[in-house]
Amino acid sequence: MQSDDDSNFDFAYSTSSTASTDNAPAPAEGPSLSETLEAFKSTGGEGSKSSAFKALTEAVESGSECEVQTLYEGPPKCSCCKNWVTTYPRDLESSIEEQIETKKKALIVRMGKSHQDGKPLVLDSIVVQSQYLKEFLSEVFQDYSGITTSLEKLVFKSPFHPFYYRWDVLEELAGNRKNTDSDAATHAQLLYNLLDIELRETRNEITDLVKNGVITYNTLWAIFPPHSLLFSTINGQNRVLLRQDVHYAGGYLSLVVKFIDWNGRQFGYKTTELTIDQFSGTQPITDLGVYPLKFHPSRTEVEEDLKARGEKFRDMHGFQYVSYKGTMLCNGGQIREIDERVIVDASSYADHHPMQSNLLEPLDSQELAFTVCVSDDIHYGDNKNASLHSYQPQPSRGPSKRQLSYPPHPNLEGPIKRQKKDTEFDTDFTAAELLLCNSHVRGYALKSKRWAEFDITQLRPISWNDSAFPNLMLPEGFKNLISSFIEGHTTGESEFDDIIEGKGLGVILLLVGKPGIGKTLTAEAVADKVRRPLYILSAGELGTDAEEVEMRLNSVLAMTEKWNAVLLFDECDVFLQKRSMDNLAHNEIVAVFLRVIEYFRGTLFMITNRGDAIDTAFQSRIHLTLHYPDLNAAARRSIWERFITGSEPDSPLDDESYSKLSELPLNGRQIRNTVKISLLLARKEKTALSVEHIWTVLRATGEVNVGALKVCHDPYDMDTNVQAGPEYLLTYEES
């Protein structure tokens, strides 16, 4: 029998022996057990001494009940503490997509709120859960990457561009399955019907625009499907490019495209970006700065021209020595017109432009396949800046040339798989790959001394001057001596090493003589004779500081050795003149030359007008020193005849005129300049070149003492400046 005190306690708090569960409803809120005990003691009654009270006190000891109590974080009561409650939060209920009934569905259609006039809801995304549909879509996007049939679900987001691009394939495959009575056919038809409703209006609009040869800015994306070849004009050259990615940016459509390039080591894909500015209304497709090649009105002609250019680009890999007449594109966007010989060498170009990216994606790279994004949205929690870096589905870098190659026109853009070659680099290009080749090659202009890009269509084989060396005005035996030196070194017949390995393997010649007597011409003629490039090094290229001189000299010597070029060091006495005690900086430069040139393996011509000024330490480094005598009358006559008859084969000058001209104390360079100006004067007067024109030029330029020039019948009266008779004879008197 309970006491009154026990009855009062039972009324205040009741206990239950039933174990609670996480999902059980929470008991009605009331005083806690400890609060009840304190209230019972505060009554001051005898109840605190009762047996019931003692039993209750023992029961409330910590962990005495064999039960689990789950608490949940509730609404905060303050900023520093968490408020734990027994009620399960309603906002944490399981996602509807995780519920069993939803997981049974082949497709989940997510409808989002529309923020534009018209429909209140728009299709946001489609979740594919059916294994039949996953396998179906793997066929639809067979040439794409990203479709993994083992994934639990595939999520496609609006505006469903991949389905637009592959609609014909999807429609064909769905139609094929429609003829079979199977679950796979039913599921495929379900997806087709859903997408048909969503894309029908867009497809009809774009079809109508393209049928009329125009497009709007908002539908530009539709004419640039993956794998498509695009046409554009870049730097005045027709180009075909491979579409990699298309996306709208602020006020323009960005087209990330690829083309085939050569970096000196391999062929590969290089990426660049083209843009189309936003426009209103419609615009003809062929008026766009870049558009699909299939819309070009002269597609066949363009393809034939670009294939021929691509073959030339392919064959220009490695080192090439050619002639070029056209525009060269210098670093920084400078454009210059040149007519000279150039070295095509992409590898050396890259070495001299380390800040420019030289990386190419291999032609057989699997990373080039266009990717369909099937991932769901990524949750960024409370990061308010997540939108700045939020994931956006991006296509990959375009079709691999081995994975997605192309047959000839008219179906140039269909995929054909090829096997990877085992060679160092593959030059067996397909027709489409030839179209994608760069229009320019990189190299060095020898006369302009500039690294640049050259239009490959303007490269020509060199017209060698085989008459230059035989016609050199040199003393007897000089030409044979020079020829034996150079040809022996070129063929390797005279190669021998020094006591110290690597020293003395080059050929160094010093040519000494007055200006205009053929020293530079000798080096030029020799280079043409042995079919090698000629690099002319001037003092201004090297600088004035010893460290700078050494760095630049080593760079020049390395290039000329790589190109097997003849190196001509003009006016070498500027750097190689005798050392002195009062010019330590110059002494340091001389020491640099002595050390570096000793290990040079090529052919070096050093030219000076002051042979006696060269430091004596160079004598042991120079293999052959040639002293050029002044031109005699016979040599000058030969030079006059060569320049005049070479430009005016029908010149009226006779032997007596040439004999008199040969008596003038002019060097070869002065004779050349005089003939050049006289020819310009004759053409201005629309007459043949005559001695009268030469006389006029000599008087005007002052190349010789005018007072020493006498004529029997002066064409111009010295006092009245009235033209005399045409009969005259030019003579020269020593003054």
Side-chain angles (χ1 to χ4, degrees):
M1 178 177 178
Q2 285 186 323
S3 65
D4 293 340
D5 293 335
D6 292 338
S7 300
N8 290 338
F9 170 71
D10 289 338
F11 177 78
Y13 193 93
S14 62
T15 60
S16 173
S17 61
T18 304
S20 63
T21 60
D22 290 346
N23 295 326
E29 294 187 3
S32 66
L33 185 57
S34 59
E35 290 174 343
T36 303
L37 288 173
E38 290 297 325
F40 190 78
K41 290 173 62 178
S42 66
T43 60
E46 295 296 326
S48 60
K49 299 178 181 179
S50 67
S51 59
F53 181 81
K54 291 179 180 179
L56 182 59
T57 302
E58 294 175 356
V60 297
E61 291 180 1
S62 178
S64 60
E65 295 184 13
C66 186
E67 297 181 5
V68 174
Q69 177 67 57
T70 302
L71 302 179
Y72 306 96
E73 184 178 352
K77 291 185 177 181
C78 63
S79 60
C80 59
C81 302
K82 292 184 178 179
N83 177 34
W84 300 105
V85 299
T86 58
T87 305
Y88 187 89
R90 298 186 62 85
D91 58 350
L92 296 182
E93 292 180 354
S94 61
S95 170
I96 191 170
E97 291 189 14
E98 300 301 321
Q99 296 178 6
I100 296 177
E101 287 301 318
T102 304
K103 284 182 172 291
K104 293 180 180 179
K105 304 299 188 278
L107 293 172
I108 298 175
V109 175
R110 296 169 175 171
M111 302 299 293
K113 294 180 180 179
S114 175
H115 301 285
Q116 299 178 354
D117 295 338
K119 300 178 182 178
L121 296 174
V122 293
L123 181 57
D124 175 82
S125 53
I126 298 174
V127 181
V128 177
Q129 300 186 132
S130 165
Q131 187 62 32
Y132 296 122
L133 287 180
K134 294 173 188 176
E135 295 173 358
F136 171 69
L137 291 175
S138 68
E139 294 184 50
V140 173
F141 298 107
Q142 181 179 5
D143 301 314
Y144 292 55
S145 64
I147 303 294
T148 304
T149 56
S150 59
L151 291 176
E152 183 178 351
K153 62 181 180 180
L154 307 178
V155 181
F156 295 89
K157 300 185 180 77
S158 176
F160 310 108
H161 288 172
F163 287 107
Y164 173 84
Y165 293 137
R166 301 289 288 178
W167 186 257
D168 291 342
V169 177
L170 185 147
E171 193 171 42
E172 180 182 356
L173 292 176
N176 293 340
R177 280 171 169 75
K178 192 174 182 180
N179 298 327
T180 63
D181 185 14
S182 65
D183 291 339
T186 305
H187 285 213
Q189 193 63 37
L190 180 67
L191 176 62
Y192 173 82
N193 293 340
L194 176 63
L195 291 171
D196 184 39
I197 295 172
E198 179 65 20
L199 298 178
R200 184 184 303 149
E201 184 177 343
T202 300
R203 290 189 294 108
N204 290 341
E205 178 188 4
I206 295 171
T207 300
D208 185 46
L209 289 169
V210 172
K211 182 179 178 180
N212 289 278
V214 297
I215 201 71
T216 63
Y217 179 72
N218 289 335
T219 56
L220 264 178
W221 60 269
I223 64 173
F224 298 108
H227 312 166
S228 59
L229 299 178
L230 312 182
F231 175 84
S232 185
T233 301
I234 303 175
N235 293 322
Q237 296 296 317
N238 291 338
R239 296 290 299 276
V240 169
L241 308 144
L242 189 63
R243 184 266 205 199
Q244 173 187 354
D245 184 26
V246 175
H247 61 272
Y248 287 97
Y252 63 90
L253 180 77
S254 171
L255 288 157
V256 181
V257 296
K258 289 185 179 296
F259 61 92
I260 294 177
D261 206 359
W262 166 258
N263 63 5
R265 292 180 295 275
Q266 67 177 38
F267 288 106
Y269 282 107
K270 192 176 184 69
T271 303
T272 188
E273 182 186 24
L274 302 177
T275 61
I276 300 176
D277 292 335
Q278 185 173 355
F279 57 88
S280 59
T282 61
Q283 184 166 327
I285 294 175
T286 53
D287 286 352
L288 300 171
V290 54
Y291 57 88
L293 176 63
K294 66 182 181 181
F295 292 110
H296 197 288
S298 303
R299 175 177 179 177
T300 302
E301 292 78 2
V302 167
E303 288 180 4
E304 291 302 319
D305 291 342
L306 297 193
K307 285 176 188 175
R309 188 180 71 187
E311 291 173 352
K312 192 170 184 179
F313 177 86
R314 176 198 60 195
D315 297 339
M316 276 288 170
H317 67 269
F319 159 75
Q320 305 288 339
Y321 180 39
V322 292
S323 180
Y324 182 77
K325 182 178 182 180
T327 300
M328 72 173 180
L329 306 177
C330 303
N331 191 28
Q334 301 177 5
I335 300 177
R336 293 180 56 183
E337 291 288 334
I338 63 169
D339 183 4
E340 58 186 277
R341 297 178 183 183
V342 301
I343 302 287
V344 177
D345 185 0
S347 177
S348 296
Y349 180 97
D351 293 340
H352 286 79
H353 297 82
M355 300 305 293
Q356 292 187 13
S357 175
N358 195 37
L359 298 177
L360 300 177
E361 293 181 71
L363 295 178
D364 54 9
S365 173
Q366 298 302 311
E367 297 298 324
L368 296 172
F370 182 84
T371 300
V372 179
C373 178
V374 294
S375 61
D376 210 348
D377 295 330
I378 297 176
H379 178 62
Y380 290 94
D382 296 330
N383 182 6
K384 296 181 179 180
N385 295 323
S387 60
L388 298 176
H389 311 284
S390 59
Y391 175 82
Q392 294 293 333
Q394 295 289 342
S396 73
R397 302 179 178 179
S400 162
K401 86 103 169 174
R402 295 303 187 272
Q403 185 182 29
L404 294 169
S405 174
Y406 310 97
H409 175 70
N411 185 24
L412 196 61
E413 299 171 26
I416 297 178
K417 295 184 179 180
R418 294 176 54 191
Q419 297 297 321
K420 180 178 178 179
K421 298 277 185 174
D422 293 329
T423 55
E424 181 180 359
F425 50 83
D426 187 3
T427 58
D428 185 17
F429 287 2
T430 64
E433 290 165 353
L434 292 174
L435 297 180
L436 293 170
C437 288
N438 197 349
S439 61
H440 287 69
V441 291
R442 300 172 185 85
Y444 188 78
L446 289 168
K447 188 192 305 182
S448 302
K449 297 186 180 298
R450 297 290 299 272
W451 292 100
E453 296 184 34
F454 307 104
D455 178 2
I456 197 166
T457 61
Q458 302 303 317
L459 296 173
R460 299 287 186 274
I462 292 175
S463 296
W464 303 102
N465 187 355
D466 291 323
S467 63
F469 190 79
N471 290 324
L472 286 174
M473 296 292 105
L474 298 179
E476 185 177 355
F478 272 39
K479 284 187 281 189
N480 287 337
L481 187 58
I482 295 172
S483 179
S484 63
F485 255 72
I486 303 303
E487 291 180 357
H489 180 258
T490 301
T491 59
E493 295 176 359
S494 63
E495 183 174 319
F496 64 94
D497 212 344
D498 198 90
I499 297 176
I500 304 300
E501 184 178 357
K503 294 177 62 177
L505 293 180
V507 172
I508 302 176
L509 297 90
L510 177 64
L511 309 184
V512 183
K514 292 181 180 180
I517 59 175
K519 302 186 300 297
T520 301
L521 181 60
T522 299
E524 294 172 341
V526 167
D528 267 25
K529 178 178 175 60
V530 295
R531 302 295 194 261
R532 288 159 60 183
L534 176 68
Y535 188 101
I536 301 178
L537 175 65
S538 62
E541 291 182 58
L542 299 177
T544 56
D545 177 73
E547 184 176 352
E548 182 182 16
V549 167
E550 182 172 7
M551 179 186 68
R552 295 186 179 181
L553 182 60
N554 277 323
S555 175
V556 170
L557 296 182
M559 285 194 305
T560 52
E561 284 187 24
K562 178 181 180 180
W563 298 337
N564 195 26
V566 174
L567 177 59
L568 171 61
F569 188 10
D570 201 6
E571 303 298 336
C572 64
D573 52 273
V574 174
F575 283 114
L576 307 184
Q577 60 185 338
K578 295 176 181 178
R579 288 169 284 186
S580 62
M581 296 298 296
D582 58 351
N583 194 343
L584 298 181
H586 173 71
N587 296 347
E588 190 177 358
I589 292 176
V590 172
V592 166
F593 268 90
L594 288 171
R595 182 180 70 257
V596 173
I597 288 180
E598 199 160 23
Y599 289 89
F600 180 54
R601 295 171 176 265
T603 302
L604 171 62
F605 281 89
M606 297 194 301
I607 294 178
T608 180
N609 301 330
R610 301 184 301 148
D612 55 350
I614 302 297
D615 192 278
T616 55
F618 276 99
Q619 298 303 320
S620 62
R621 274 81 172 176
I622 297 170
H623 299 92
L624 178 64
T625 300
L626 295 178
H627 292 270
Y628 281 58
D630 293 342
L631 296 176
N632 56 30
R636 288 194 293 267
R637 175 179 177 132
S638 177
I639 295 172
W640 278 108
E641 290 179 346
R642 188 181 311 149
F643 282 127
I644 292 175
T645 57
S647 303
E648 288 278 331
D650 300 327
S651 173
L653 272 67
D654 53 18
D655 289 342
E656 188 174 2
S657 297
Y658 282 120
S659 297
K660 297 300 181 181
L661 287 172
S662 67
E663 296 176 8
L664 297 175
L666 301 175
N667 62 42
R669 189 173 292 112
Q670 290 171 320
I671 294 174
R672 180 196 64 189
N673 293 339
T674 299
V675 173
K676 181 178 181 179
I677 300 172
S678 300
L679 284 168
L680 293 174
L681 179 60
R683 288 168 184 168
K684 177 66 171 60
E685 296 177 356
K686 298 181 179 180
T687 61
L689 177 67
S690 64
V691 176
E692 177 183 348
H693 297 114
I694 297 174
W695 159 244
T696 302
V697 172
L698 291 173
R699 288 182 61 195
T701 59
E703 292 286 4
V704 295
N705 185 356
V706 176
L709 292 171
K710 301 295 182 181
V711 293
C712 297
H713 299 284
D714 193 341
Y716 287 91
D717 186 273
M718 299 293 288
D719 297 326
T720 62
N721 198 32
V722 176
Q723 186 170 359
E727 300 297 331
Y728 64 90
L729 178 64
L730 181 65
T731 62
Y732 170 73
E733 292 184 358
E734 295 288 349
S735 57

